[in-house]
Amino acid sequence: MGYCSCTVLLSRMAQKKYLQAKLTQFLREDRIQLWKPPYTDENKEGGLALKDLAKKYSDRLECCENEVEKVIEEIRCKAIERGTGNENYKTTGIATIEVFLPPRLRKDRKNLLETRLHITGRELRSKIAETFGFQENYIKIVINKKQLQLGKTLEEQGVTHNVKAMVLELKQSEEDVRKHFQVEEEEQNKAELKEKRIQRTKRGLEILAERAEMVVDPETTPYLDIANQTGRSIRIPPSERKVSPYVSYGYHEKGRAFLKRKEYGIALPCLLMLNKYFCECCRELLDTVDNYAVLQLDIVWCYFRLEQLECLDDAEKKLNLAQKCFKNCYGENHQRLVHIKGNCGKEKVLFLRLYLLQGIRNYHSGNGEEARDYLNKARQLFKELYIDPSKVHNLLQLGFTAQEARLGLRACDGNVDHAAAHITNRREELAQIRKEEKEKKRRRLENINSLKGMGYSTHAAKQALHQASGNLDEALKILLSNPQMWWLNDSDPETNNHQESPSQENIDQLVYMGFDAVAADAALRVFRGNVQLAAQTLAHNGGSLPPDLQLGGPGGRGSAPSLCGVSPPVLPTQRASTDEDMETEAVNEILEDIPEHEEDYLDSTLEDEEIIIAEYLSYVENIKSATKKN
């Protein structure tokens, strides 16, 4: 009984939103200004002309005239309220912010908050908490699709008059709401833990991203890598090799982990943060992988599940962007995808969600026919992607996981035998790819260590090997021919600038090799006593230093950083140990949420989607069911 009444309530709310959107659309088309006569009199009361307007639109929509009149009156009151706010803002500089509350606190009216724009984000959060009954440290504010920064003013963050602000409440259950003073400290601690959790996520991703560019043993040290649709690593040019691509994809996996656990309040800030990182990625990379398109879907899905879709004013833009990115990545009619993977069955899950969200957005925008078309597309895809549980059971009996079974059956149109062969072949392909990638990493590690053994820095070695496409001999020639590369340094700049007098023993070694004593002294000063590099450089340049490496003489005025200066060893401290433990903890938290299966984002039971498709199709079919009633 409770479920039924809840469903009826949701249906009425959805129908009312549709009616509001449709009437707003008609008013714009007819250029009707409800806040002016004859619809509003000098006392700001509704005029008799509203009844004529309600009759006209109720006939057009075949809806109850009284219901249409009520909604038009609500639209009129909101327009007057907005106009009053605009006048107030021009006169006093006090802006109005429309606050969207969590579903449990939402009322059938706008929640408006007046404020000056020179206050900080922290002050606005405090005002929202006080006005609407939140605990200040247990909410996050999203404005203009960005999380509000507490330390900056609203003006600095682009907050303007009439902006929309969404409140995310970081509570686990409604039971927390009913508790008062006894649990305040506990809730405060939870909020702080969640904030620390997000910060640990960021640090963990940064560490894993940095390792991708460091010299690490792939067998023992986890690191982030970016792979294309076949599972092979994507090489990013040094000029565009920033931490951002790695952090982007890591953040996305973390955000999707929160989505799976239905922790939408934590997932949304994580996902919104990604746009910043994706904007720093090269266009070629975004066209190679589908993550950017999936991100757009995830953000819109998050707003929808938080029942705040009206707060996302660019949902249409995001969904169109997702569709465009899918086309660039998969090719027209998925030809590129089929060429690479042999099928496109698994990726249809993404298009199902895309069509579903497009249907929902169109419904809430008053576009009933468009909504019906998209929802029917989603329903058709659901029928194609539905998996018989007995087939999953058969594949489980063969030793495959439920996830492999779902993905395999969708790739093979539900054929169990073909799915078993597909999963087996994919396992073998991935095992071979991972073996090859590890071997590449191992060879690169060996080559870098070989160059380091000759006295070159890690950075110089990596740069030279990249230019030489991994060929060690060519990399050595590049280093010898380009001494300026040796300043790609690993050590402390202050240490580098310090010129030490070379030992007589090292000078004698170079003289014994046949080099001039003055040249030997100069070379050893440049390379801070590294005999190997000094000898190689002098030999390569006919017994003297090239001009761009020469200093101003013994103890002279010139200065040049060295490649191989090593700072004195630092004794371990308790703080260093603690920092290392914290970093290990941050990395482990990330690794827990990074899925083992590379196509995890394509795996879905579609249980939620099935319910929502049926729900919104019923709304669309019932658009005309509210026929005229007296």
Side-chain angles (χ1 to χ4, degrees), residues 198-306:
I198 292 172
Q199 292 305 316
R200 279 202 306 274
T201 295
K202 184 178 180 182
R203 182 58 192 140
L205 288 169
E206 287 170 348
I207 292 167
L208 288 167
E210 287 162 5
R211 286 180 182 173
E213 293 307 307
M214 290 166 56
V215 184
V216 294
D217 184 349
E219 298 291 343
T220 59
T221 309
Y223 61 95
L224 279 181
D225 201 5
I226 300 175
N228 60 20
Q229 288 155 357
T230 66
R232 296 189 181 277
S233 295
I234 296 174
R235 297 270 72 86
I236 301 173
S239 59
E240 294 171 356
R241 186 172 291 176
K242 306 169 184 175
V243 173
S244 56
Y246 299 103
V247 173
S248 301
Y249 298 119
Y251 256 124
H252 202 175
E253 292 299 347
K254 191 70 178 175
R256 288 184 63 79
F258 289 132
L259 278 180
K260 285 183 184 177
R261 295 194 287 268
K262 302 189 185 301
E263 295 183 58
Y264 303 111
I266 299 178
L268 185 58
C270 221
L271 296 171
L272 291 174
M273 205 178 296
L274 284 182
N275 274 330
K276 167 189 163 188
Y277 292 115
F278 268 113
C279 290
E280 295 175 6
C281 295
C282 59
R283 184 76 251 172
E284 183 182 354
L285 183 62
L286 296 181
D287 288 341
T288 306
V289 291
D290 54 13
N291 300 66
Y292 191 43
V294 176
L295 173 63
Q296 307 309 309
L297 293 186
D298 287 341
I299 289 174
V300 179
W301 182 257
C302 221
Y303 274 95
F304 169 65
R305 298 305 278 175
L306 286 165

